[in-house]
Every structure is written in C-alpha cells, then in structure tokens.
Amino acid sequence: LQKHQQELEKSESELQKTNQELQQTQSQLNQTQAELTESNSQLKQKETIWQQSETQLKELQKNQQEWQISKSQLHKTKQELKRTNLQMQELQTELVESNSKLQQTETLLQRTNLQMQEVQTELVESNSKLQQTETLLQRTNLQIQELQTESVESNSKLQQTETLLEQSHSQIKQTKTLLKEFQNQLHQTDEERKNQQLQLQETQTVLQQVQTQWRQTEILLQQSQSQQQNSQKELVKTKSQLTQTQSELEKLQYQQAILRNSKSESQTEYQLLVWEAWYAYQKGDLVEMQEHLQKSLKYTENSRTEIVMEWLDSFANFSQQKGLELDSEKLTSSAEWQKLMKRTMKIQNKVLVSSEK
C-alpha cells in the first residue's frame, strides 16, 4: 500500500508537472495565435498597400502615355500655327489688294448712280406719256365697242321683225283655212246635233224601260238571295244532322262489334270511350278527345304506358279503317295530349306510392 501510495504521489506530482507544462504550452500557443493574427493583419495591410501601389503604377503608365500623346499633339499644333501664320500673311496681302479694288468699284458705282438717275427721270417722262396714250386708247376702244353692240342689236331687231312678218303671213293663211274648216264643221255639227237630239229622245225612252226592268230584277234578286240564305241555313242544319247521324251510326256499329267481341262491360266502355276520343280528334275537338281518354282510364287496369300505346294503336286502326293516315307527331305534340300525359303519370305515381306503403 505504501508503495502504491508513493507511486500515486509520484504520478500526481508528474501530473501536476505535465499540467504546468500544458498550461505553459497553451499560453505559448495563445501567444503564437495572437502573433499569427497580427501577422495576418499585417499581411492583409501589405496586400492592400501592394494593390494600391499596382493601381498607382498603372495610373502612372497611363499618365505617361497621355503625356506622350499630348507631346505629339503639341508638336502638331505648333506646325498648324506656323501654317496659319503663313495663311494670315497671305490673307493680309489679299486684303490690301481687295481694298484697292473696292475703291475702284466705288468710283464706278458713283458714276453708274448718276447715269441711273438720268435714266429714271427719262423713264418717268415716258411713263406719263404712255399713260396719256393708254387713256386715249381706252376711250376709243369703248366707243368702238358701243358702236359694235348697237350694230349687233339693230341687226338682231331687223332679223326678228323679218321673222315676225313671215310668221304673221303664215298665221293669216292658216287662220283663213281654219275659218273655212270651222264653217264646214259648224254646218256638220248642226246636222249632227239634230240627229243626236232625236237619238237622245229614243235613248231616254229606252232608259225608262230599262230602269223599270232593273227594278223588277232587283226585287227578284232580293227574293232569290233570301231564299238562298234560307236554303244555306237548311243545308248547314242537314249537314250537321247528317254528321250526327253518321257518328251515331258508326258508334252503334262499333258498339255492336265490341259487344260481340268484348268479355266485360268495363272493356266495352273503355273501347267506346277511346273510339269517341278518336272521333273527337277527327272533328278537331281536342278537348273532347282529352276528356274521353281521361274517362277511359277508369275502365282499365293496364299500366299507363300500355294504355298510351293502346290509344295510339287504336287511333291508327280507326283512321286506317276510314282510309286516313294518323299524324302521331302532331297528336302527341298537342297541348291537350301533353296535359293528358301529365295527369296519367301523376295518377300512376300515386298508385305506385300507395302500393309501396
């Protein structure tokens, strides 16, 4: 145990030493890290300085290039200045020459101005003379025009008078001939008037006779019209009676045929009502048809769909027997048929509901 304790103590002392060494190394590490961070920051600063120096170098290079360009431009401008100076000297010599020429031209202008003034005075005089002559010419022209118009008017009047004279001569001749014809016509009209008076008297007598005959015929016509109206009324009555008797006969015949073939009273009643419905449809009385078919539902126990099919089949058979064709689309699309279908379907639905309950 003592050995172990001694070893433990040794190990503890060694541990303490190692801990101290570790602490020292950590402190050294911390110092080195701090130095590293400082060196990194210094490096970054140096890098930025280096970048700045590089940019400055580039700018310097650019400045040098620009300076060289400006030098070349200066050289060019100097040469151009020399040229312009030479040109200025030439221009000055030309100006001196032009001034001398100007003086000469001014003297010439003065001379020409004097000449122009003289010419203008002469022109004014000539213009005044021209105006006088023009006024004279205008007056003479007006006089000539007036004379011409007067001569034209006189000529036209002469021509008109000549034509009027000719027309008057021709009219006189025509009037003479017309007078002769008129006298002849008067003589003829007198004779015709006498003849017409005689004819008028004869026609008046004939008219009186015709009027009396016309009155008699009117009376006869009125009598015949009243008789015709009465006969038409009687015809209508007889036709209606005939149709009624025919329908009754057909009904009786159909009843007899049904009575022979039917097995029960309800079946005969059902078939009779269907026939009466078809007969009403043929007459055009769809309301009566609807009523008869509605009544027929009481005398059958078939389903509503079967009944509707029976109605259509029986309608088709009845019309075939009469040599007619049934327009089933017109029948089924009519308002009365649609109402009948709604009622029959309602009744069927009620029956189904009651049977289910």
Side-chain angles (χ1 to χ4, degrees):
L1 281 165
Q2 286 176 357
K3 282 180 182 179
H4 282 296
Q5 281 178 353
Q6 286 173 359
E7 286 174 358
L8 276 166
E9 286 173 356
K10 282 179 183 178
S11 61
E12 281 177 356
S13 63
E14 285 174 358
L15 270 167
Q16 285 175 357
K17 284 178 183 178
T18 52
N19 281 322
Q20 287 174 359
E21 287 174 358
L22 272 168
Q23 286 175 358
Q24 286 175 0
T25 51
Q26 278 180 353
S27 64
Q28 286 174 358
L29 271 168
N30 289 323
Q31 285 176 0
T32 52
Q33 280 179 353
E35 287 173 357
L36 269 167
T37 51
E38 284 178 3
S39 64
N40 281 323
S41 65
Q42 286 173 359
L43 267 168
K44 285 178 182 177
Q45 286 175 359
K46 284 176 182 179
E47 280 179 354
T48 52
I49 291 161
W50 182 70
Q51 286 174 355
Q52 287 174 359
S53 63
E54 274 189 346
T55 53
Q56 285 174 358
L57 267 169
K58 285 177 182 177
E59 286 176 357
L60 279 167
Q61 286 174 356
K62 282 181 184 178
N63 287 325
Q64 279 179 355
Q65 287 174 357
E66 288 174 357
W67 182 70
Q68 285 175 356
I69 291 162
S70 63
K71 270 181 89 177
S72 65
Q73 285 177 353
L74 266 169
H75 184 68
K76 285 178 183 177
T77 50
K78 280 179 181 178
Q79 287 177 352
E80 285 176 357
L81 270 167
K82 285 178 183 178
R83 285 176 191 169
T84 50
N85 283 321
L86 288 167
Q87 287 175 355
M88 283 289 287
Q89 287 173 0
E90 288 174 358
L91 282 166
Q92 281 177 354
T93 54
E94 286 176 359
L95 266 169
V96 170
E97 289 175 358
S98 64
N99 282 321
S100 66
K101 286 179 181 177
L102 264 169
Q103 286 175 357
Q104 289 174 1
T105 51
E106 280 178 354
T107 53
L108 283 166
L109 267 168
Q110 286 174 357
R111 286 176 188 171
T112 51
N113 281 322
L114 289 167
Q115 288 174 356
M116 281 289 288
Q117 285 175 358
E118 290 174 358
V119 170
Q120 279 177 353
T121 52
E122 288 176 357
L123 265 169
V124 169
E125 289 174 358
S126 64
N127 279 322
S128 65
K129 287 178 182 178
L130 261 170
Q131 284 176 356
Q132 288 173 1
T133 52
E134 280 178 354
T135 52
L136 284 167
L137 267 168
Q138 285 175 356
R139 284 176 188 171
T140 52
N141 282 321
L142 286 168
Q143 287 174 356
I144 289 162
Q145 285 176 358
E146 286 174 357
L147 286 166
Q148 283 176 350
T149 52
E150 284 176 358
S151 67
V152 168
E153 286 175 357
S154 63
N155 284 321
S156 66
K157 283 178 182 177
L158 268 168
Q159 286 175 355
Q160 286 175 0
T161 50
E162 284 176 355
T163 52
L164 284 167
L165 272 167
E166 287 175 357
Q167 287 174 1
S168 63
H169 283 301
S170 65
Q171 283 176 357
I172 287 162
K173 287 178 182 177
Q174 286 175 0
T175 48
K176 281 179 180 177
T177 53
L178 285 167
L179 269 168
K180 285 178 182 177
E181 288 175 358
F182 186 67
Q183 284 173 355
N184 291 322
Q185 284 176 359
L186 268 171
H187 184 67
Q188 287 175 359
T189 49
D190 283 330
E191 289 179 354
E192 285 175 358
R193 188 172 57 79
K194 287 174 183 176
N195 291 323
Q196 282 174 357
Q197 281 177 353
L198 291 168
Q199 286 176 357
L200 264 170
Q201 287 173 358
E202 289 175 358
T203 50
Q204 280 176 355
T205 54
V206 171
L207 265 170
Q208 285 173 358
Q209 290 173 1
V210 169
Q211 280 177 354
T212 53
Q213 286 176 357
W214 181 67
R215 283 172 188 167
Q216 288 173 0
T217 51
E218 268 190 344
I219 293 160
L220 288 167
L221 264 169
Q222 286 173 358
Q223 288 174 358
S224 65
Q225 281 175 356
S226 63
Q227 286 174 358
Q228 197 175 1
Q229 285 174 357
N230 291 322
S231 62
Q232 280 178 351
K233 285 176 184 176
E234 286 174 359
L235 264 170
V236 169
K237 283 180 184 178
T238 51
K239 277 182 182 178
S240 65
Q241 286 172 0
L242 267 168
T243 51
Q244 283 176 0
T245 52
Q246 278 178 353
S247 65
E248 285 173 0
L249 268 169
E250 286 174 357
K251 191 176 179 182
L252 283 166
Q253 287 171 358
Y254 188 67
Q255 279 178 355
Q256 286 173 0
I258 290 164
L259 285 165
R260 284 174 201 156
N261 298 318
S262 65
K263 295 174 182 178
S264 62
E265 288 182 7
S266 60
Q267 192 177 1
T268 55
E269 194 66 33
Y270 171 75
Q271 288 177 352
L272 277 169
L273 284 166
V274 172
W275 184 85
E276 284 175 356
W278 170 80
Y279 190 75
Y281 172 71
Q282 288 298 321
K283 286 193 294 180
D285 195 351
L286 295 174
V287 176
E288 191 180 347
M289 175 199 78
Q290 183 187 348
E291 288 173 357
H292 287 307
L293 289 172
Q294 189 73 37
K295 285 177 185 176
S296 70
L297 290 169
K298 295 176 184 177
Y299 300 100
T300 182
E301 293 178 355
N302 292 332
S303 66
R304 294 296 179 256
T305 52
E306 286 176 352
I307 291 163
V308 171
M309 292 302 292
E310 282 176 4
W311 287 346
L312 289 168
D313 288 334
S314 55
F315 270 44
N317 289 324
F318 295 147
S319 54
Q320 255 184 4
Q321 287 170 8
K322 288 285 181 182
L324 301 168
E325 284 187 7
L326 178 71
D327 193 355
S328 57
E329 286 184 7
K330 188 179 177 181
L331 173 64
T332 53
S333 62
S334 64
E336 287 79 9
W337 185 270
Q338 295 292 327
K339 285 178 186 176
L340 182 65
M341 291 299 105
K342 284 178 184 176
R343 285 179 185 174
T344 52
M345 292 302 150
K346 279 181 184 176
I347 292 162
Q348 188 176 4
N349 289 327
K350 283 178 183 177
V351 170
L352 286 167
V353 169
S354 62
S355 64
E356 283 174 2
K357 285 178 181 178

